[in-house]
Amino acid sequence: MMKSNVAEILKSGTVLQEIALKGWVRTFRSNRFIALNDGSTINNIQCVIDFENTPEETLKRITTGAAIAVKGTLAESQGKGQSVEVQVSEIEILGDSNPDEYPIQPKKHSFEFLRENAHLRVRTNTFGAVMRVRSKLSFAVHKYFQDNGFNYVNTPIVTGSDAEGAGEMFRVTSFEDNKAPVTEDGKIDYSKDFFGKETNLTVSGQLEAETYAMALGKVYTFGPTFRAENSNTTRHLAEFWMIEPEVAFMDLDGNMDLAEDFIKSVLGYVLENCKDDLAFLDQRLTQEESKLPQAQRSDMSLLEKLKFVADNNFKRVSYTEAIDILRNSKPNKKKKFQFPIDKWGADLQSEHERFLVEKHFKCPVILFDYPANIKAFYMRLNEDGKTVRAMDVLFPGIGEMVGGAQREERYDVLVEKMKAMNIDEKELWWYLDLRKFGTAVHSGFGLGFERLVQFTTGMGNIRDVIPFPRTPQNAEF
Ligand code: 4AD
Ligand code: MG
């Protein structure tokens, strides 16, 4: 007897073989037709019960959410909506699901409700599709780098340094409540803590990745990062996964080429390998948007957007050019921006980024050469003395997808910068060593994986593209 899953069976299209399947009941109608899903594909397989020869007791237990095993033959379907169906000869209930208590009913649930039931929401079509696409995307990430000669580096999760210098970190300590020793001046004495120093969950693996790039040449990280920023937005998580390539002997232009090529490549991979799930998500989004006023709908469907990004060049624009565009833009003149742009040097808010990407250029945009004082300490200072070789990749509907830079490789310039930004040289002695021993031009970037999943799946809220989101006031599950 051939054992298989629903995806393989539906793909094979052959009929009349004996098959055995296990899965969960999505719906059961007319005491005859089970829509069975086993997670291998968004598509259910119809299982037809011989109800006259099935005990009443068993029929009653075929409820939405129940786990079952069926055996039978695969036949051409008489009904509409599927080409084949299983004519069931044997059915076993493996795990009941009480219909009065099971929260996931065969009807439309709000995403808020499903977030409260995040342990069950992946049993819905939407979340099943999103999480399968997420899995394929993460494979595509590794595939891209491995195919292109990068080494995967696992950078530490517990760290003593604040890579971004933003101070938005979660402390890691083994002190017991109210029992932390204090120093003479009343501060907590971390020299007596587990690691003998103050430690936090990492906000980025970049600094450690740089050390490896300066030996292995091309490296990437892909791991969890943590930020204790109190941002309750549809694009921020307190725990998210970041992809950070770092490459020796590569300048900012190479970095932009890499980011663009990488994103196009992974999108191409899922377009090719997640056809059913993306077709479903495409329809879902079109339906969602049809409820909105015309002006708020996108010009392109999800699939069109993905193909557009995969096939078209990103627009590369300097910060200075962007400021000019923004300053002269309609919303700025009509005072529609919450943060009006009047001077060079202003930090760009998401409203400005979205204007550039969605209204002005209508494609992904790479902004580069930002003012030094709004960017992190490690970015290479330009000859003008006021801008740094930073780059952000901005995406429609998402805003910042990537943040990266050519790194400051000159020892003296870096030390000066750290002093000016109050970054402890002693703490980062090892980072400075890279500039002492065989320093070289190098660059890299960080891409927020969930933002990539959001763009790819068309989901509006980042909490709906990670299995168990961590956000302010929320760490259930
Ligand atoms: O721009 P960021 O802060 O850059 C860095 O951390 C650099 N050290 C990366 C590097 O050069 N190696 O973060 C990088 C990306 C952002 O562009 C965004 O996509 C994502 O990480 N990101 C978040 N995603 C979800 N929730 C948050 N709170 C995020 N903060 C940043
Ligand atoms: Mg950034």
Side-chain angles (χ1 to χ4, degrees):
M1 180 172 292
M2 184 180 104
K3 274 207 173 126
S4 197
N5 66 31
V6 174
E8 285 164 12
I9 287 173
L10 292 178
K11 208 159 83 186
S12 79
T14 30
V15 293
L16 292 175
Q17 46 199 330
E18 272 188 279
I19 59 161
L21 279 173
K22 288 177 186 168
W24 294 270
V25 176
R26 281 292 170 86
T27 56
F28 184 41
R29 62 185 173 83
S30 314
N31 253 352
R32 272 200 87 179
F33 304 106
I34 301 172
L36 184 79
N37 191 284
D38 69 355
S40 60
T41 156
I42 186 141
N43 300 306
N44 302 327
I45 194 161
Q46 172 154 290
C47 302
V48 187
I49 303 284
D50 174 8
F51 69 98
E52 277 160 8
N53 294 310
T54 308
E56 183 69 29
E57 203 36 48
T58 306
L59 289 174
K60 270 201 209 135
R61 293 171 65 197
I62 306 173
T63 56
T64 297
I68 62 169
V70 295
K71 285 181 184 164
T73 52
L74 193 66
E76 249 171 70
S77 176
Q78 316 293 306
K80 274 190 282 182
Q82 65 273 323
S83 57
V84 289
E85 63 190 20
V86 183
Q87 278 157 7
V88 176
S89 54
E90 243 182 278
I91 178 164
E92 187 189 347
I93 312 290
L94 303 173
D96 292 280
S97 173
N98 182 341
D100 299 330
E101 289 173 22
Y102 186 52
I104 311 294
Q105 291 302 315
K107 63 164 197 170
K108 202 168 155 46
H109 295 290
S110 75
F111 286 153
E112 289 79 11
F113 172 82
L114 291 172
R115 257 169 243 149
E116 288 163 14
N117 290 283
H119 60 309
L120 300 173
R121 67 178 178 172
V122 68
R123 301 178 182 202
T124 64
N125 281 335
T126 300
F127 285 89
V130 167
M131 296 307 162
R132 273 186 300 267
V133 172
R134 182 182 165 110
S135 167
K136 281 281 189 289
L137 263 178
S138 91
F139 177 74
V141 167
H142 284 291
K143 180 168 164 43
Y144 178 86
F145 288 120
Q146 296 290 336
D147 286 351
N148 285 286
F150 285 70
N151 289 288
Y152 180 38
V153 187
N154 301 115
T155 49
I157 288 170
V158 176
T159 166
S161 48
D162 178 5
E164 291 306 294
E168 290 160 330
M169 294 181 297
F170 292 101
R171 169 116 349 124
V172 174
T173 175
S174 65
F175 285 150
E176 284 178 49
D177 289 352
N178 304 321
K179 284 191 193 149
V182 286
T183 55
E184 274 170 18
D185 51 1
K187 290 194 180 131
I188 292 180
D189 186 0
Y190 287 106
S191 72
K192 299 209 172 72
D193 202 351
F194 188 91
F195 295 107
K197 65 187 291 192
E198 201 177 319
T199 48
N200 301 290
L201 294 178
T202 188
V203 295
S204 159
Q206 176 197 326
L207 304 191
E208 291 92 349
E210 280 186 53
T211 68
Y212 267 60
M214 296 313 281
L216 300 181
K218 294 191 205 179
V219 300
Y220 71 106
T221 72
F222 185 3
T225 47
F226 306 86
R227 298 203 180 175
E229 51 188 340
N230 200 3
S231 301
N232 263 303
T233 78
T234 55
R235 293 170 302 109
H236 287 89
L237 291 165
E239 176 182 290
F240 62 100
W241 286 65
M242 210 195 312
I243 296 149
E244 296 183 275
E246 192 70 35
V247 182
F249 313 114
M250 185 177 78
D251 64 9
L252 191 70
D253 286 327
N255 207 19
M256 292 194 231
D257 293 342
L258 176 64
E260 184 167 343
D261 189 52
F262 166 67
I263 294 173
K264 286 177 172 172
S265 161
V266 296
L267 290 183
Y269 183 86
V270 290
L271 277 167
E272 199 46 49
N273 291 280
C274 301
K275 289 202 168 103
D276 289 351
D277 287 322
L278 287 178
F280 172 84
L281 292 165
D282 179 85
Q283 270 184 5
R284 185 203 77 82
L285 190 63
T286 305
Q287 251 172 33
E288 256 334 87
E289 290 194 348
S290 69
K291 295 177 207 150
L292 298 173
Q294 189 70 41
Q296 286 173 37
R297 296 182 205 162
S298 7
D299 314 340
M300 287 186 232
S301 74
L302 177 64
L303 283 170
E304 285 167 343
K305 260 188 266 185
L306 297 179
K307 286 186 188 126
F308 180 86
V309 171
D311 296 340
N312 286 282
N313 290 339
F314 297 4
K315 183 84 189 161
R316 301 183 187 190
V317 186
S318 75
Y319 167 90
T320 303
E321 289 170 76
I323 285 289
D324 278 342
I325 294 167
L326 288 166
R327 205 192 275 140
N328 297 316
S329 70
K330 251 197 210 157
N332 199 49
K333 287 182 169 159
K334 289 189 171 168
K335 306 215 178 329
K336 288 273 163 65
F337 286 140
Q338 200 189 337
F339 299 90
I341 297 284
D342 56 348
K343 279 202 295 287
W344 190 93
D347 202 355
L348 299 184
Q349 307 295 327
S350 78
E351 56 178 349
H352 309 126
E353 296 177 343
R354 296 187 71 156
F355 173 82
L356 290 169
V357 173
E358 288 161 23
K359 297 279 178 327
H360 191 82
F361 290 111
K362 296 187 193 302
C363 70
V365 172
I366 310 184
L367 286 189
F368 61 92
D369 285 351
Y370 282 75
N373 59 356
I374 59 171
K375 288 290 183 186
F377 74 95
Y378 50 71
M379 299 188 178
R380 192 183 200 280
L381 193 64
N382 276 312
E383 304 314 316
D384 63 13
K386 58 175 193 173
T387 58
V388 285
R389 301 246 77 190
M391 65 173 213
D392 276 5
V393 182
L394 310 178
F395 257 65
I398 302 288
E400 183 187 330
M401 176 82 83
V402 168
Q406 183 174 325
R407 319 306 187 187
E408 185 55 78
E409 85 285 12
R410 297 164 295 184
Y411 183 86
D412 297 340
V413 183
L414 184 58
V415 168
E416 195 127 313
K417 190 73 168 293
M418 287 169 74
K419 282 203 179 103
M421 291 191 160
N422 261 327
I423 289 158
D424 192 354
E425 288 162 54
K426 281 193 223 103
E427 197 59 56
L428 287 180
W429 62 274
W430 51 273
Y431 189 69
L432 284 164
D433 262 7
L434 301 180
R435 280 74 184 166
K436 275 203 237 165
F437 308 117
T439 193
V441 163
H442 63 289
S443 304
F445 62 82
L447 180 144
F449 185 55
E450 283 73 22
R451 293 194 185 172
L452 178 66
V453 182
Q454 239 191 308
F455 179 76
T456 311
T457 57
M459 296 297 279
N461 195 320
I462 199 165
R463 296 162 202 223
D464 298 332
V465 300
I466 187 165
F468 300 104
R470 267 78 182 100
T471 50
Q473 299 298 309
N474 174 33
E476 193 65 48
F477 308 104

